[in-house]
Amino acid sequence: MKKIVITGVTSGIGRALLLRLNQEGHHVIGVARSKEKLEQLKPLLKTPFDLIQADLSQTKEVIKAAQKIQKEHDLIDVLINNAATVPGALVVSEEGHEMQFQVNHLAVVTMTHQLLLILEQSNGLIITTSSDAHKPAKYHKNRIQRLKKYSLMGAYSETKLYNLLFTKAFNRIVDTNIFACAVHPGLVNTDLGGKDTKGMMQKFWRFLARRGITPEASTQTYVDLIDGTLKHHDYVSDRKPNIATMTANNVAYQDHLWSYTNAQLNIKWKTKKA
């Protein structure tokens, strides 16, 4: 039995992962914003499990959730950074960040940093849900966040790129026994892009999603990584290694985002010696 933290567990891939890993005998620790939806999950789960309510759009709430996990568990085997948001119009977080950047990137970095020590107790694994949607994205050093001229798809593509840049930088820079990888789950039939959009964009997202695989089917690559069937690689999909873009593999971009993000969050890492 492994102890597995999963964010974004009340819908889509996160919910499917929570239910599957719980049924397979793992101790799942689910994190999500909606207290009501978390309560609805309880009858579907067998012990042991933990459900934690936290709004990942606020860094202080991410930290609070991580501290609760640290207090109640000596070690964690796997962290799955899965939560994401795709608002149809510009939304700015309480901390002044564009909301996709806040939830899809900063929350990932914060949760990873906060749980690092207890992940190290088990030679842990970090899995972040990224996407081949990163492929059209370019890296703009002078415009990391889309606080002006917001584009739903532009921000989504860029934050999925940031997931990969962070994953690759983490493996290269941090002095740790933990391995980080990013997963492209494929086109999945979820309402991620429909619940916070309107009009034609909402219709487009929902039409596109209907062509995708079920959330349950998307879980297999994650499970293969967790049980060791799939050898660790920093970007995987469909149960095998995937190829990221040259932009995602650009070390200068990785370093720039690493420095920018750590400055925004005021965090430091134990780094490998040069």
Side-chain angles (χ1 to χ4, degrees):
M1 179 187 74
K2 294 181 183 293
K3 289 188 177 182
I4 304 172
V5 176
I6 312 167
T7 65
V9 297
T10 53
S11 63
I13 297 169
R15 185 178 188 275
L17 280 167
L18 182 83
L19 295 176
R20 175 172 179 175
L21 292 168
N22 172 259
Q23 292 301 314
E24 291 182 357
H26 299 293
H27 184 152
V28 292
I29 304 164
V31 183
R33 179 177 59 184
S34 172
K35 183 177 181 180
E36 179 183 358
K37 291 181 179 179
L38 285 171
E39 288 294 325
Q40 292 170 0
L41 283 170
K42 288 182 178 179
L44 306 177
L45 298 169
K46 62 182 183 181
T47 55
F49 69 87
D50 297 290
L51 297 176
I52 301 171
Q53 189 275 326
D55 183 351
L56 300 186
S57 72
Q58 300 178 45
T59 299
K60 64 183 179 182
E61 292 248 336
V62 180
I63 294 172
K64 184 178 178 181
Q67 288 176 339
K68 180 176 175 61
I69 295 168
Q70 289 174 306
K71 183 178 179 179
E72 297 178 357
H73 302 278
D74 294 330
L75 62 81
I76 295 296
D77 295 285
V78 184
L79 166 62
I80 304 178
N81 291 305
N82 172 73
T85 188
V86 190
L90 175 64
V91 180
V92 180
S93 72
E94 289 185 4
E95 296 158 49
H97 299 296
E98 185 275 312
M99 192 58 77
Q100 288 203 56
F101 182 78
Q102 179 82 49
V103 175
N104 303 359
H105 175 60
L106 292 183
V108 169
V109 178
T110 302
M111 187 66 79
T112 299
H113 185 260
Q114 287 290 315
L115 296 183
L116 195 66
L117 291 179
I118 57 174
L119 280 161
E120 288 179 336
Q121 299 306 309
S122 63
N123 298 316
L125 174 66
I126 298 166
I127 303 173
T128 299
T129 301
S130 183
S131 172
D132 273 358
H134 84 278
K135 290 185 174 180
K138 296 181 180 179
Y139 189 78
H140 303 278
K141 288 186 176 181
N142 297 323
R143 199 249 324 123
I144 304 299
Q145 306 183 51
R146 285 183 174 262
L147 288 167
K148 296 181 179 179
K149 297 183 179 179
Y150 177 78
S151 161
L152 177 156
M153 285 305 302
Y156 183 71
S157 293
E158 287 167 2
T159 56
K160 295 297 100 179
L161 170 64
Y162 299 163
N163 293 154
L164 276 162
L165 290 170
F166 170 70
T167 294
K168 290 173 179 288
F170 178 92
N171 286 333
R172 184 168 52 83
I173 294 172
V174 180
D175 184 9
T176 184
N177 58 7
I178 301 167
F179 187 80
C181 59
V183 170
H184 167 59
L187 178 60
V188 184
N189 189 356
T190 74
D191 203 29
L192 172 63
K195 58 187 177 182
D196 293 321
T197 54
K198 297 179 181 179
M200 290 302 297
M201 181 56 72
Q202 185 181 70
K203 291 179 181 179
F204 170 75
W205 269 93
R206 288 177 172 170
F207 169 77
L208 191 65
R210 285 198 296 270
R211 302 169 59 191
I213 61 175
T214 65
E216 290 73 22
S218 74
T219 63
Q220 190 60 54
T221 297
Y222 297 81
V223 171
D224 285 354
L225 285 165
I226 291 167
D227 67 19
T229 301
L230 177 59
K231 184 178 180 180
H232 291 170
H233 191 274
D234 60 14
Y235 191 39
V236 297
S237 66
D238 195 22
R239 311 181 72 180
K240 59 183 181 293
N242 196 0
I243 299 174
T245 60
M246 291 178 63
T247 304
N249 286 311
N250 187 302
V251 172
Y253 294 159
Q254 294 169 19
D255 287 346
H256 184 268
L257 182 67
W258 184 264
S259 297
Y260 177 87
T261 302
N262 292 334
Q264 295 297 311
L265 296 171
N266 193 30
I267 60 177
K268 295 182 179 180
W269 305 78
K270 182 181 178 183
T271 58
K272 297 174 183 176
K273 295 180 180 180

